[in-house]
Amino acid sequence: MRGADLTQQELFSYRTLEDRIPKDHPLRKLRAVVDILLTTLDSELDALSARTGRESIPPGRLLRASLIQVLFSVRSERQWVQQIEFNLLYRWFVGLTLDAEVWDHSTFSANRNRLLNERISRLFFERVVLLAEWQDLLSDEHFSVDGTLIQAWASMKSFVKKDGSSPPPEAGGRNPSVDFKGEKRANATHASTTDPEARLYKKSEGDKAQLCFMSHALMENRTGLVVDVEVIHATGTAERDAAKIMIGRTVTKPGATVGADKAYDVPEFVHALREQRVTPHVARKEKGSAIDGRTTRHAGYRTSLKRRKRVEEIFGWSKTVGGLRQTRFRGLKKVAAQTVFTFAAYNLTRLGGLFGWRWSTA
């Protein structure tokens, strides 16, 4: 017998939101882990809120919402708030009830920008790393370092001369055309009016220059987890400068190794690592290499060169899933906060695989 396609609205629901989420859903364990991590940040989150005035969005809900936004690759706050409205899984993970009113996207953005600064993002990242250490998943002996470009939220049309002598656009309208033919542009003479902290840069000769920032990751070789992050202006020495910063504050064991590609094969960088009693497992250039037989004769050197390629998985995930191909923020500090938080989300997905909890959204 064919069933009738009738829709009748129920006046009451006898199932709670908790009942609607399957008991074996992979995000249940992730939610439990995130809740534990957030409890360790209570004092820092309390310090961000005033004692009087209107109540803000609870910081725990903001952090959970931001985390699930990264994991499910939702590209904008407007779209994300719309999805929370009708997606029961998102409501449950964030901590909203079935009848709770979802925030306006502008309210969510304003509260998130105030909460998720670089300090809070880094504290959350450090808590995730401490969780991995507590589970004995990290070693202090072998690491890899690399950097990647993050496209700035600024158009090349906004990259004009600092002295204001750039000619006006050829035509009016919402997206006027600009003729750059024959004009030499450089960071010393030009700056973006949209994001003055973005820099014009390219990593290779055959690539095109773009307004960008540069993010860097220090990876532990055994598990592929990110143990340190740094975001700085994109320059020709940015990768080595950031690497020295991260190695100096994270790699503390004498004799530890750090793998890197040929861009790091510079005498100044290699000598700096040796002075810190860190062994530079840097891929050698064909000519003028700073790496000699003292390093290359060991089997561990070849192992490090193989392991270091796993850092590309981190950048690949952060740009395809985490939305870091182009930043949604302007200014170095906000881009750094987004990057650190995204790498914390990556570590959580890696931990899910290492623990066998399968909470990955892929």
Side-chain angles (χ1 to χ4, degrees), residues 209-284:
Q210 59 182 343
L211 291 171
C212 56
F213 298 91
M214 186 169 282
S215 68
H216 312 266
L218 183 67
M219 179 191 73
E220 193 274 328
N221 283 356
R222 184 173 63 163
T223 58
L225 292 168
V226 184
V227 293
D228 205 346
V229 187
E230 189 68 27
V231 180
I232 60 177
H233 294 296
T235 65
T237 62
E239 288 186 303
R240 299 189 293 275
D241 294 340
K244 287 185 287 187
I245 294 173
M246 294 187 294
I247 293 170
R249 67 187 177 202
T250 303
V251 183
T252 58
K253 184 175 182 178
T257 66
V258 175
D261 58 30
K262 293 181 180 179
Y264 296 83
D265 188 6
V266 177
E268 182 272 334
F269 177 74
V270 173
H271 296 333
L273 261 60
R274 294 194 185 280
E275 289 180 357
Q276 297 182 45
R277 303 179 67 183
V278 174
T279 304
H281 282 182
V282 179
R284 299 184 67 184

Side-chain angles (χ1 to χ4, degrees), residues 50-225:
R51 299 304 176 189
T52 59
R54 293 186 303 171
E55 290 187 356
S56 64
I57 300 175
R61 293 182 181 179
L62 270 174
L63 283 166
R64 285 194 294 267
S66 300
L67 176 61
I68 204 73
Q69 181 183 6
V70 172
L71 295 178
F72 282 88
S73 309
V74 184
R75 64 179 182 270
S76 70
E77 281 69 31
R78 185 186 296 270
Q79 185 185 61
W80 175 232
V81 169
Q82 289 176 349
Q83 294 199 23
I84 295 177
E85 178 66 45
F86 60 78
N87 191 309
L88 298 185
L89 176 64
Y90 295 167
R91 276 181 170 268
W92 168 82
F93 191 90
V94 171
L96 296 173
T97 63
L98 279 171
D99 298 325
E101 183 179 359
V102 182
W103 327 287
D104 183 79
H105 68 89
S106 60
T107 303
F108 176 78
S109 298
N111 281 262
R112 191 271 324 279
N113 291 342
R114 178 180 58 83
L115 173 70
L116 276 183
N117 54 43
E118 185 177 4
R119 178 173 174 273
I120 296 299
S121 295
R122 192 168 289 277
L123 285 173
F124 183 72
F125 173 84
E126 290 173 354
R127 296 301 193 276
V128 177
V129 174
L130 286 175
L131 174 63
E133 290 180 352
W134 177 58
Q135 293 292 322
D136 197 24
L137 293 174
L138 295 178
S139 71
D140 57 357
E141 297 177 340
H142 305 293
F143 303 88
S144 295
V145 67
D146 204 356
T148 190
L149 296 180
I150 300 177
Q151 186 178 346
W153 188 19
S155 170
M156 289 296 296
K157 295 181 180 181
S158 69
F159 196 63
V160 298
K161 292 183 179 180
K162 295 179 181 180
D163 58 9
S165 61
S166 295
E170 296 179 354
R174 184 169 178 265
N175 190 19
S177 59
V178 179
D179 185 11
F180 299 121
K181 187 176 182 180
E183 180 182 352
K184 184 178 180 180
R185 293 175 292 172
N187 292 314
T189 57
H190 291 62
S192 171
T193 56
T194 305
D195 189 349
E197 295 190 81
R199 296 291 183 268
L200 187 66
Y201 185 73
K202 62 179 180 180
K203 289 193 70 174
S204 60
E205 291 296 330
D207 199 4
K208 65 178 181 180
Q210 59 182 343
L211 291 171
C212 56
F213 298 91
M214 186 169 282
S215 68
H216 312 266
L218 183 67
M219 179 191 73
E220 193 274 328
N221 283 356
R222 184 173 63 163
T223 58
L225 292 168

